Amino acid sequence: MEKQRKNEKEKRKEKGFSRLSTASVVESIAPSPYVEECTTIEHRCRYIKDNSFYGWLKILLSLPYSKVMELDKLLAMPALLALLLLYLHFMRRKIRNGIQNLPPGSSGWPIVGETFKFISAAREGTPVRFIQERMERYDSRVFKTSFLGDPMAVFCGTAGNKFLFSNENKNVQVWWPSSIKKLLRSSLVNKVGDEAKMTRRLLLTFLNPEILRNFVPKMDTIAQIHINTHWQGKEQVVVHSTVQKYTYALACSLFLSIEDPLHDSKFSSRFHRFLKGLVGFSINLPGTRFHQAMKAANEIREEIKKIIKQRKVDLEEKRASPSQDILSHLLATPDSNGRFLTEIEIMDNILLLLFAGHDTSRSTLSSLMRYLAQLPHVYNKVLAEQVEISRAKGEGESLQWEDVQKMKYSWNVASEVLRLSPPVTGAYREALRDFSYADYTIGKGWKLHWTTCSSHVDPRLFANPEAFDASRFEGAGPAPYSYVPFGGGPRMCLGLEFARLEILVFMHHIVKQFKWDLVNPNEKFKYDPMLEPVDGLPVLLHRHH
Ligand code: HEM
């Protein structure tokens, strides 16, 4: 053994530092008895008791200049290789673009593309800046970018919306970033074609106006309890975190019959972690938002699993009704093929509904509160409409479906809020095959993005687009495909009616009891991933006499 070591040492000496190896570098500075035992530079660093950046620095500093130069060469190899790969990547892209007449635009950096530019525009609350800058720069209805690692074409304006909404299952199909897909595994967002149609139909048999009209009195009670608990007697309220309690309570009640969800603070904190990790890079490493969200989603599933177990017993023993909430509905109703959803599908679809129906409405209510504070003439008209509805009712009588139908001006106001401050920037599709759009080739597998802002603030579609004007929604309303806060086509939002009811019921009670002022009139809103006020929108409350 000793002899073998001596031989190796001799051989290395003969080779000298002209053929420098990591082993020889360390050997030259580390105490030899330790070095003899080790094979890699990291291993040796451990022996000099400092396997850290500092340890490596110590090695480098203690090398003679000539050796450092050699080490440079060694380290330069991977860097050169990376540069070469980058060059080949750009060349391949350039050649392909030339052949295929791809839409104009930049794919940005490899892997990350223009993700950070898009996210930073969204975080500043101005995704429209990202879109408009490019529409102007390329003078095109469609431009190319790259988002979350995928090439992506952004379809703009009514023509873009119309194309994507009317080509579902023909040229395109719904697509969501992998973080959403992984978190909402077997839910509707991961279903396409006939399977998606079947699941949508099943969910819509609960979320349609005919069924939801029966829940208006329940929504009314939840809104009143919410306002009595979280607004009454307060001088100042932080709107965004407070309205969340309402949308959350409503979703938990109508989806799972959990009547006092805020009691369970664990459930709501899990839910918060789940929501924050839904949109972004799906890197499942401790400390990342996505990792937190995966953990939270599994914990929520466990909770829902327990509820399902109990509910099955209750349904069998007729202690629960098949129409009491969406959970009972999904357990008791087969799809049009006579198949019942599996337990996992039910859990994932409920998680989807909690996600899709919670922060969207919360964002709308926060924006609504801001506009009503800023625009007293609009507030006064909403108040007059709501007081009129109350007057026609008996003392203490709950709101009914028919009352909500009368809230026409209030809904026009909410619609204008959704035009100017849509909770989501848009949604995604995927190209099923190569196809041509506006004379450009869109490649199979490309990700496609429609956006709310590309049409909502277009002056050709909405005169004086920056102005708040609820009358735009009177009569025939906006041009087709120009107003799209809920998307469109076969994958349009399933919760429109649910959202309409929860927003109007909340408006009814809040304006009837309070007027309010913004604490910070210049507070900005940002997308993270939904639109939200950066400081939570604190308001000063004034109770009506
Ligand atoms: C103001 C509130 C809301 C807004 C602005 C909104 C907006 C959207 C948008 C833009 C989409 C994507 C549509 C597309 O890809 O074409 C969507 C999908 C969806 N929304 Fe909503 N939403 C709201 C409330 C709700 C509520 C309350 C629920 C549930 C009760 C809900 C459930 C869903 C579901 C399940 C989908 C997926 C549909 C599919 O993939 O087929 N949403 N929503």
Side-chain angles (χ1 to χ4, degrees), residues 165 174 176 188-189 200 207 255 352-353 356-357 360-361 364 418 423-424 426-427 429 450 484-488 490-496 498-499 502-503:
F165 295 157
V174 80
W176 291 101
L188 174 62
V189 290
R200 276 183 67 95
L207 292 170
F255 300 161
L352 163 66
L353 292 176
T360 42
S361 308
T364 312
L418 285 164
V424 292
R429 303 290 188 267
W450 64 264
V484 287
F486 295 95
R491 299 306 294 245
M492 188 177 171
C493 175
L494 280 177
L496 194 158
F498 186 102
E502 76 177 323
I503 291 166

mmCIF file of all heavy atoms in Angstrom, residues 165 174 176 188-189 200 207 255 352-353 356-357 360-361 364 418 423-424 426-427 429 450 484-488 490-496 498-499 502-503, ligand 1:
data_model
loop_
_atom_site.group_PDB
_atom_site.id
_atom_site.type_symbol
_atom_site.label_atom_id
_atom_site.label_comp_id
_atom_site.label_asym_id
_atom_site.label_seq_id
_atom_site.Cartn_x
_atom_site.Cartn_y
_atom_site.Cartn_z
ATOM 1 N N PHE A 165 -60.483 31.597 -28.498
ATOM 2 C CA PHE A 165 -61.709 31.089 -27.857
ATOM 3 C C PHE A 165 -62.490 30.168 -28.793
ATOM 4 O O PHE A 165 -63.194 29.275 -28.352
ATOM 5 C CB PHE A 165 -62.611 32.248 -27.408
ATOM 6 C CG PHE A 165 -62.007 33.113 -26.330
ATOM 7 C CD1 PHE A 165 -62.434 34.417 -26.140
ATOM 8 C CD2 PHE A 165 -61.013 32.623 -25.489
ATOM 9 C CE1 PHE A 165 -61.884 35.220 -25.142
ATOM 10 C CE2 PHE A 165 -60.446 33.420 -24.492
ATOM 11 C CZ PHE A 165 -60.880 34.724 -24.323
ATOM 12 N N VAL A 174 -56.674 24.121 -23.964
ATOM 13 C CA VAL A 174 -56.309 24.873 -22.762
ATOM 14 C C VAL A 174 -54.955 24.397 -22.234
ATOM 15 O O VAL A 174 -54.583 23.232 -22.374
ATOM 16 C CB VAL A 174 -57.426 24.725 -21.701
ATOM 17 C CG1 VAL A 174 -57.329 23.412 -20.959
ATOM 18 C CG2 VAL A 174 -57.424 25.884 -20.729
ATOM 19 N N TRP A 176 -52.072 25.290 -18.840
ATOM 20 C CA TRP A 176 -51.721 26.079 -17.657
ATOM 21 C C TRP A 176 -50.260 25.822 -17.306
ATOM 22 O O TRP A 176 -49.738 24.746 -17.590
ATOM 23 C CB TRP A 176 -52.619 25.691 -16.465
ATOM 24 C CG TRP A 176 -54.043 26.115 -16.652
ATOM 25 C CD1 TRP A 176 -55.082 25.316 -17.047
ATOM 26 C CD2 TRP A 176 -54.590 27.430 -16.483
ATOM 27 N NE1 TRP A 176 -56.235 26.055 -17.125
ATOM 28 C CE2 TRP A 176 -55.960 27.355 -16.788
ATOM 29 C CE3 TRP A 176 -54.067 28.647 -16.096
ATOM 30 C CZ2 TRP A 176 -56.808 28.451 -16.725
ATOM 31 C CZ3 TRP A 176 -54.910 29.760 -16.022
ATOM 32 C CH2 TRP A 176 -56.263 29.640 -16.343
ATOM 33 N N LEU A 188 -60.188 19.665 -13.420
ATOM 34 C CA LEU A 188 -60.576 20.118 -14.757
ATOM 35 C C LEU A 188 -59.433 20.794 -15.520
ATOM 36 O O LEU A 188 -59.335 20.647 -16.735
ATOM 37 C CB LEU A 188 -61.757 21.104 -14.590
ATOM 38 C CG LEU A 188 -62.250 21.813 -15.837
ATOM 39 C CD1 LEU A 188 -62.778 20.822 -16.860
ATOM 40 C CD2 LEU A 188 -63.334 22.825 -15.489
ATOM 41 N N VAL A 189 -58.543 21.524 -14.829
ATOM 42 C CA VAL A 189 -57.493 22.240 -15.570
ATOM 43 C C VAL A 189 -56.565 21.288 -16.308
ATOM 44 O O VAL A 189 -55.904 21.672 -17.266
ATOM 45 C CB VAL A 189 -56.639 23.189 -14.683
ATOM 46 C CG1 VAL A 189 -57.404 24.377 -14.211
ATOM 47 C CG2 VAL A 189 -55.971 22.462 -13.556
ATOM 48 N N ARG A 200 -66.850 19.739 -16.957
ATOM 49 C CA ARG A 200 -67.442 21.085 -16.918
ATOM 50 C C ARG A 200 -68.965 20.986 -16.736
ATOM 51 O O ARG A 200 -69.560 21.698 -15.946
ATOM 52 C CB ARG A 200 -67.130 21.841 -18.221
ATOM 53 C CG ARG A 200 -65.780 22.529 -18.225
ATOM 54 C CD ARG A 200 -65.581 23.300 -19.510
ATOM 55 N NE ARG A 200 -66.503 24.424 -19.604
ATOM 56 C CZ ARG A 200 -66.215 25.674 -19.239
ATOM 57 N NH1 ARG A 200 -65.027 25.961 -18.769
ATOM 58 N NH2 ARG A 200 -67.114 26.631 -19.358
ATOM 59 N N LEU A 207 -73.198 24.965 -10.605
ATOM 60 C CA LEU A 207 -72.853 26.397 -10.635
ATOM 61 C C LEU A 207 -73.739 27.216 -11.575
ATOM 62 O O LEU A 207 -73.416 28.346 -11.901
ATOM 63 C CB LEU A 207 -71.376 26.561 -11.036
ATOM 64 C CG LEU A 207 -70.370 26.062 -9.993
ATOM 65 C CD1 LEU A 207 -68.957 26.032 -10.563
ATOM 66 C CD2 LEU A 207 -70.412 26.907 -8.726
ATOM 67 N N PHE A 255 -69.153 25.126 -1.062
ATOM 68 C CA PHE A 255 -68.464 23.969 -1.655
ATOM 69 C C PHE A 255 -68.407 22.796 -0.686
ATOM 70 O O PHE A 255 -68.487 21.652 -1.075
ATOM 71 C CB PHE A 255 -67.031 24.330 -2.073
ATOM 72 C CG PHE A 255 -66.947 25.444 -3.092
ATOM 73 C CD1 PHE A 255 -65.771 26.138 -3.282
ATOM 74 C CD2 PHE A 255 -68.041 25.785 -3.865
ATOM 75 C CE1 PHE A 255 -65.689 27.161 -4.218
ATOM 76 C CE2 PHE A 255 -67.974 26.809 -4.799
ATOM 77 C CZ PHE A 255 -66.797 27.502 -4.970
ATOM 78 N N LEU A 352 -59.513 23.164 -6.981
ATOM 79 C CA LEU A 352 -59.548 24.087 -8.130
ATOM 80 C C LEU A 352 -60.585 25.188 -7.903
ATOM 81 O O LEU A 352 -60.307 26.369 -8.107
ATOM 82 C CB LEU A 352 -59.866 23.308 -9.425
ATOM 83 C CG LEU A 352 -60.328 24.155 -10.609
ATOM 84 C CD1 LEU A 352 -59.210 25.075 -11.092
ATOM 85 C CD2 LEU A 352 -60.797 23.281 -11.771
ATOM 86 N N LEU A 353 -61.772 24.781 -7.460
ATOM 87 C CA LEU A 353 -62.831 25.784 -7.256
ATOM 88 C C LEU A 353 -62.449 26.766 -6.155
ATOM 89 O O LEU A 353 -62.703 27.959 -6.257
ATOM 90 C CB LEU A 353 -64.157 25.100 -6.908
ATOM 91 C CG LEU A 353 -64.796 24.293 -8.034
ATOM 92 C CD1 LEU A 353 -66.050 23.601 -7.537
ATOM 93 C CD2 LEU A 353 -65.140 25.177 -9.225
ATOM 94 N N ALA A 356 -59.875 28.982 -7.918
ATOM 95 C CA ALA A 356 -60.395 29.827 -9.000
ATOM 96 C C ALA A 356 -61.432 30.810 -8.493
ATOM 97 O O ALA A 356 -61.579 31.903 -9.038
ATOM 98 C CB ALA A 356 -61.005 28.943 -10.096
ATOM 99 N N GLY A 357 -62.159 30.418 -7.431
ATOM 100 C CA GLY A 357 -63.278 31.239 -7.020
ATOM 101 C C GLY A 357 -62.994 32.113 -5.818
ATOM 102 O O GLY A 357 -63.863 32.823 -5.357
ATOM 103 N N THR A 360 -59.979 35.582 -7.065
ATOM 104 C CA THR A 360 -60.526 36.389 -8.164
ATOM 105 C C THR A 360 -61.600 37.339 -7.626
ATOM 106 O O THR A 360 -61.568 38.539 -7.883
ATOM 107 C CB THR A 360 -61.154 35.469 -9.226
ATOM 108 O OG1 THR A 360 -61.885 34.449 -8.550
ATOM 109 C CG2 THR A 360 -60.132 34.854 -10.149
ATOM 110 N N SER A 361 -62.522 36.780 -6.833
ATOM 111 C CA SER A 361 -63.601 37.613 -6.298
ATOM 112 C C SER A 361 -63.058 38.588 -5.261
ATOM 113 O O SER A 361 -63.495 39.737 -5.174
ATOM 114 C CB SER A 361 -64.674 36.753 -5.634
ATOM 115 O OG SER A 361 -65.085 35.761 -6.529
ATOM 116 N N THR A 364 -61.597 41.465 -7.022
ATOM 117 C CA THR A 364 -62.640 42.334 -7.577
ATOM 118 C C THR A 364 -63.229 43.215 -6.481
ATOM 119 O O THR A 364 -63.447 44.415 -6.682
ATOM 120 C CB THR A 364 -63.776 41.486 -8.200
ATOM 121 O OG1 THR A 364 -63.175 40.493 -9.023
ATOM 122 C CG2 THR A 364 -64.726 42.320 -9.023
ATOM 123 N N LEU A 418 -64.170 45.335 -13.431
ATOM 124 C CA LEU A 418 -63.499 44.169 -14.022
ATOM 125 C C LEU A 418 -62.821 44.504 -15.357
ATOM 126 O O LEU A 418 -61.881 43.842 -15.773
ATOM 127 C CB LEU A 418 -64.506 43.032 -14.228
ATOM 128 C CG LEU A 418 -64.912 42.297 -12.946
ATOM 129 C CD1 LEU A 418 -66.173 41.481 -13.159
ATOM 130 C CD2 LEU A 418 -63.786 41.390 -12.477
ATOM 131 N N PRO A 423 -58.990 40.839 -12.399
ATOM 132 C CA PRO A 423 -58.182 40.119 -11.405
ATOM 133 C C PRO A 423 -57.079 39.275 -12.032
ATOM 134 O O PRO A 423 -56.037 39.078 -11.431
ATOM 135 C CB PRO A 423 -59.195 39.203 -10.710
ATOM 136 C CG PRO A 423 -60.523 39.800 -10.997
ATOM 137 C CD PRO A 423 -60.413 40.502 -12.305
ATOM 138 N N VAL A 424 -57.318 38.743 -13.249
ATOM 139 C CA VAL A 424 -56.266 37.936 -13.890
ATOM 140 C C VAL A 424 -55.832 38.599 -15.197
ATOM 141 O O VAL A 424 -56.627 39.255 -15.867
ATOM 142 C CB VAL A 424 -56.701 36.473 -14.174
ATOM 143 C CG1 VAL A 424 -56.889 35.705 -12.900
ATOM 144 C CG2 VAL A 424 -57.969 36.415 -14.996
ATOM 145 N N GLY A 426 -55.006 37.102 -17.874
ATOM 146 C CA GLY A 426 -55.445 36.340 -19.047
ATOM 147 C C GLY A 426 -55.262 34.867 -18.759
ATOM 148 O O GLY A 426 -55.127 34.467 -17.601
ATOM 149 N N ALA A 427 -55.253 34.050 -19.814
ATOM 150 C CA ALA A 427 -55.024 32.619 -19.604
ATOM 151 C C ALA A 427 -54.314 32.052 -20.830
ATOM 152 O O ALA A 427 -53.980 32.789 -21.762
ATOM 153 C CB ALA A 427 -56.338 31.906 -19.329
ATOM 154 N N ARG A 429 -53.324 28.838 -23.781
ATOM 155 C CA ARG A 429 -53.689 27.704 -24.619
ATOM 156 C C ARG A 429 -52.401 27.099 -25.162
ATOM 157 O O ARG A 429 -51.337 27.694 -25.057
ATOM 158 C CB ARG A 429 -54.581 28.140 -25.805
ATOM 159 C CG ARG A 429 -55.881 28.862 -25.419
ATOM 160 C CD ARG A 429 -56.887 27.933 -24.771
ATOM 161 N NE ARG A 429 -58.188 28.551 -24.565
ATOM 162 C CZ ARG A 429 -58.567 29.162 -23.439
ATOM 163 N NH1 ARG A 429 -57.734 29.262 -22.434
ATOM 164 N NH2 ARG A 429 -59.784 29.661 -23.326
ATOM 165 N N TRP A 450 -53.801 34.646 -24.235
ATOM 166 C CA TRP A 450 -54.703 35.768 -24.509
ATOM 167 C C TRP A 450 -54.699 36.643 -23.263
ATOM 168 O O TRP A 450 -54.509 36.147 -22.158
ATOM 169 C CB TRP A 450 -56.118 35.292 -24.873
ATOM 170 C CG TRP A 450 -56.849 34.568 -23.774
ATOM 171 C CD1 TRP A 450 -56.930 33.220 -23.601
ATOM 172 C CD2 TRP A 450 -57.575 35.150 -22.680
ATOM 173 N NE1 TRP A 450 -57.647 32.916 -22.467
ATOM 174 C CE2 TRP A 450 -58.062 34.090 -21.883
ATOM 175 C CE3 TRP A 450 -57.855 36.453 -22.303
ATOM 176 C CZ2 TRP A 450 -58.817 34.298 -20.738
ATOM 177 C CZ3 TRP A 450 -58.607 36.670 -21.145
ATOM 178 C CH2 TRP A 450 -59.078 35.588 -20.379
ATOM 179 N N VAL A 484 -63.291 40.653 -21.690
ATOM 180 C CA VAL A 484 -63.049 39.235 -21.427
ATOM 181 C C VAL A 484 -62.480 38.932 -20.021
ATOM 182 O O VAL A 484 -61.580 38.100 -19.899
ATOM 183 C CB VAL A 484 -62.089 38.657 -22.505
ATOM 184 C CG1 VAL A 484 -62.779 38.506 -23.833
ATOM 185 C CG2 VAL A 484 -60.824 39.516 -22.660
ATOM 186 N N PRO A 485 -63.006 39.556 -18.961
ATOM 187 C CA PRO A 485 -62.418 39.252 -17.647
ATOM 188 C C PRO A 485 -62.624 37.794 -17.250
ATOM 189 O O PRO A 485 -61.865 37.251 -16.447
ATOM 190 C CB PRO A 485 -63.173 40.184 -16.690
ATOM 191 C CG PRO A 485 -64.435 40.511 -17.375
ATOM 192 C CD PRO A 485 -64.142 40.483 -18.839
ATOM 193 N N PHE A 486 -63.663 37.146 -17.822
ATOM 194 C CA PHE A 486 -63.939 35.744 -17.494
ATOM 195 C C PHE A 486 -63.489 34.802 -18.610
ATOM 196 O O PHE A 486 -63.855 33.632 -18.617
ATOM 197 C CB PHE A 486 -65.437 35.544 -17.234
ATOM 198 C CG PHE A 486 -65.936 36.277 -16.015
ATOM 199 C CD1 PHE A 486 -66.518 37.532 -16.122
ATOM 200 C CD2 PHE A 486 -65.804 35.728 -14.750
ATOM 201 C CE1 PHE A 486 -66.974 38.222 -15.002
ATOM 202 C CE2 PHE A 486 -66.256 36.409 -13.618
ATOM 203 C CZ PHE A 486 -66.835 37.655 -13.738
ATOM 204 N N GLY A 487 -62.693 35.310 -19.567
ATOM 205 C CA GLY A 487 -62.264 34.473 -20.687
ATOM 206 C C GLY A 487 -63.394 34.318 -21.685
ATOM 207 O O GLY A 487 -64.305 35.163 -21.752
ATOM 208 N N GLY A 488 -63.348 33.215 -22.424
ATOM 209 C CA GLY A 488 -64.406 33.004 -23.417
ATOM 210 C C GLY A 488 -64.317 31.630 -24.044
ATOM 211 O O GLY A 488 -63.373 30.875 -23.794
ATOM 212 N N PRO A 490 -65.316 27.623 -25.059
ATOM 213 C CA PRO A 490 -65.686 26.442 -24.258
ATOM 214 C C PRO A 490 -64.953 26.344 -22.930
ATOM 215 O O PRO A 490 -65.345 25.546 -22.093
ATOM 216 C CB PRO A 490 -65.293 25.259 -25.163
ATOM 217 C CG PRO A 490 -64.996 25.819 -26.491
ATOM 218 C CD PRO A 490 -64.700 27.273 -26.343
ATOM 219 N N ARG A 491 -63.875 27.131 -22.717
ATOM 220 C CA ARG A 491 -63.187 27.067 -21.431
ATOM 221 C C ARG A 491 -63.405 28.330 -20.603
ATOM 222 O O ARG A 491 -62.653 28.619 -19.685
ATOM 223 C CB ARG A 491 -61.674 26.836 -21.628
ATOM 224 C CG ARG A 491 -61.293 25.556 -22.321
ATOM 225 C CD ARG A 491 -61.855 24.315 -21.698
ATOM 226 N NE ARG A 491 -61.380 23.983 -20.382
ATOM 227 C CZ ARG A 491 -60.672 22.896 -20.077
ATOM 228 N NH1 ARG A 491 -60.349 22.036 -21.020
ATOM 229 N NH2 ARG A 491 -60.314 22.645 -18.832
ATOM 230 N N MET A 492 -64.459 29.037 -20.933
ATOM 231 C CA MET A 492 -64.748 30.259 -20.180
ATOM 232 C C MET A 492 -64.981 29.934 -18.686
ATOM 233 O O MET A 492 -65.336 28.807 -18.349
ATOM 234 C CB MET A 492 -66.018 30.888 -20.748
ATOM 235 C CG MET A 492 -66.312 32.235 -20.189
ATOM 236 S SD MET A 492 -67.773 32.879 -20.992
ATOM 237 C CE MET A 492 -68.067 34.315 -20.012
ATOM 238 N N CYS A 493 -64.756 30.934 -17.844
ATOM 239 C CA CYS A 493 -64.900 30.758 -16.401
ATOM 240 C C CYS A 493 -66.236 30.089 -16.051
ATOM 241 O O CYS A 493 -67.289 30.486 -16.536
ATOM 242 C CB CYS A 493 -64.812 32.112 -15.717
ATOM 243 S SG CYS A 493 -65.129 32.032 -13.955
ATOM 244 N N LEU A 494 -66.160 29.092 -15.175
ATOM 245 C CA LEU A 494 -67.378 28.387 -14.749
ATOM 246 C C LEU A 494 -68.090 29.114 -13.620
ATOM 247 O O LEU A 494 -69.229 28.812 -13.295
ATOM 248 C CB LEU A 494 -66.986 27.011 -14.207
ATOM 249 C CG LEU A 494 -66.708 25.896 -15.183
ATOM 250 C CD1 LEU A 494 -66.269 24.656 -14.433
ATOM 251 C CD2 LEU A 494 -67.959 25.596 -15.978
ATOM 252 N N GLY A 495 -67.368 30.093 -13.016
ATOM 253 C CA GLY A 495 -67.904 30.683 -11.793
ATOM 254 C C GLY A 495 -68.505 32.055 -11.977
ATOM 255 O O GLY A 495 -68.734 32.751 -10.991
ATOM 256 N N LEU A 496 -68.792 32.448 -13.229
ATOM 257 C CA LEU A 496 -69.308 33.804 -13.473
ATOM 258 C C LEU A 496 -70.540 34.113 -12.625
ATOM 259 O O LEU A 496 -70.615 35.129 -11.952
ATOM 260 C CB LEU A 496 -69.622 33.957 -14.958
ATOM 261 C CG LEU A 496 -69.846 35.368 -15.485
ATOM 262 C CD1 LEU A 496 -69.609 35.401 -16.991
ATOM 263 C CD2 LEU A 496 -71.177 35.970 -15.183
ATOM 264 N N PHE A 498 -71.655 32.582 -9.926
ATOM 265 C CA PHE A 498 -71.303 32.555 -8.503
ATOM 266 C C PHE A 498 -70.662 33.890 -8.119
ATOM 267 O O PHE A 498 -71.024 34.514 -7.116
ATOM 268 C CB PHE A 498 -70.322 31.398 -8.257
ATOM 269 C CG PHE A 498 -69.969 31.154 -6.818
ATOM 270 C CD1 PHE A 498 -70.545 30.116 -6.110
ATOM 271 C CD2 PHE A 498 -69.039 31.952 -6.160
ATOM 272 C CE1 PHE A 498 -70.219 29.881 -4.781
ATOM 273 C CE2 PHE A 498 -68.697 31.731 -4.842
ATOM 274 C CZ PHE A 498 -69.284 30.689 -4.152
ATOM 275 N N ALA A 499 -69.701 34.342 -8.949
ATOM 276 C CA ALA A 499 -68.981 35.596 -8.663
ATOM 277 C C ALA A 499 -69.956 36.770 -8.682
ATOM 278 O O ALA A 499 -69.902 37.644 -7.817
ATOM 279 C CB ALA A 499 -67.878 35.803 -9.693
ATOM 280 N N GLU A 502 -71.958 36.775 -5.452
ATOM 281 C CA GLU A 502 -71.222 37.128 -4.221
ATOM 282 C C GLU A 502 -70.810 38.600 -4.216
ATOM 283 O O GLU A 502 -70.829 39.251 -3.172
ATOM 284 C CB GLU A 502 -70.046 36.185 -3.955
ATOM 285 C CG GLU A 502 -68.812 36.351 -4.771
ATOM 286 C CD GLU A 502 -67.706 35.373 -4.342
ATOM 287 O OE1 GLU A 502 -67.572 35.101 -3.136
ATOM 288 O OE2 GLU A 502 -66.983 34.899 -5.220
ATOM 289 N N ILE A 503 -70.502 39.151 -5.394
ATOM 290 C CA ILE A 503 -70.109 40.564 -5.466
ATOM 291 C C ILE A 503 -71.321 41.454 -5.163
ATOM 292 O O ILE A 503 -71.248 42.389 -4.363
ATOM 293 C CB ILE A 503 -69.523 40.882 -6.869
ATOM 294 C CG1 ILE A 503 -68.176 40.176 -7.044
ATOM 295 C CG2 ILE A 503 -69.368 42.388 -7.083
ATOM 296 C CD1 ILE A 503 -67.666 40.128 -8.466
HETATM 297 C C1 HEM B 1 -64.540 37.919 -10.575
HETATM 298 C C2 HEM B 1 -64.314 36.658 -10.435
HETATM 299 C C3 HEM B 1 -63.689 35.753 -11.460
HETATM 300 C C4 HEM B 1 -62.929 36.036 -12.555
HETATM 301 C C5 HEM B 1 -62.529 37.410 -13.067
HETATM 302 C C6 HEM B 1 -62.600 34.780 -13.187
HETATM 303 C C7 HEM B 1 -61.833 34.659 -14.331
HETATM 304 C C8 HEM B 1 -61.519 33.452 -14.936
HETATM 305 C C9 HEM B 1 -60.738 33.323 -16.129
HETATM 306 C C10 HEM B 1 -60.112 34.455 -16.907
HETATM 307 C C11 HEM B 1 -60.644 32.003 -16.431
HETATM 308 C C12 HEM B 1 -59.918 31.377 -17.629
HETATM 309 C C13 HEM B 1 -60.884 31.299 -18.800
HETATM 310 C C14 HEM B 1 -60.240 30.878 -20.098
HETATM 311 O O1 HEM B 1 -59.201 30.232 -20.075
HETATM 312 O O2 HEM B 1 -60.799 31.199 -21.159
HETATM 313 C C15 HEM B 1 -61.365 31.283 -15.412
HETATM 314 C C16 HEM B 1 -61.491 29.920 -15.366
HETATM 315 C C17 HEM B 1 -62.156 29.249 -14.382
HETATM 316 N N1 HEM B 1 -62.872 29.808 -13.339
HETATM 317 FE FE1 HEM B 1 -63.093 31.790 -12.939
HETATM 318 N N2 HEM B 1 -63.137 33.764 -12.456
HETATM 319 C C18 HEM B 1 -63.818 34.311 -11.401
HETATM 320 C C19 HEM B 1 -64.523 33.630 -10.425
HETATM 321 C C20 HEM B 1 -64.673 32.275 -10.383
HETATM 322 C C21 HEM B 1 -65.444 31.575 -9.390
HETATM 323 C C22 HEM B 1 -66.221 32.237 -8.265
HETATM 324 C C23 HEM B 1 -65.312 30.239 -9.663
HETATM 325 C C24 HEM B 1 -65.914 29.065 -8.953
HETATM 326 C C25 HEM B 1 -66.993 29.082 -8.262
HETATM 327 C C26 HEM B 1 -64.490 30.108 -10.839
HETATM 328 C C27 HEM B 1 -64.146 28.920 -11.437
HETATM 329 C C28 HEM B 1 -63.391 28.798 -12.579
HETATM 330 C C29 HEM B 1 -62.995 27.517 -13.159
HETATM 331 C C30 HEM B 1 -63.346 26.143 -12.615
HETATM 332 C C31 HEM B 1 -62.234 27.805 -14.290
HETATM 333 C C32 HEM B 1 -61.584 26.792 -15.239
HETATM 334 C C33 HEM B 1 -62.518 26.518 -16.409
HETATM 335 C C34 HEM B 1 -61.952 25.497 -17.398
HETATM 336 O O3 HEM B 1 -60.756 25.231 -17.361
HETATM 337 O O4 HEM B 1 -62.717 24.959 -18.192
HETATM 338 N N3 HEM B 1 -64.122 31.361 -11.245
HETATM 339 N N4 HEM B 1 -61.903 32.178 -14.518
#
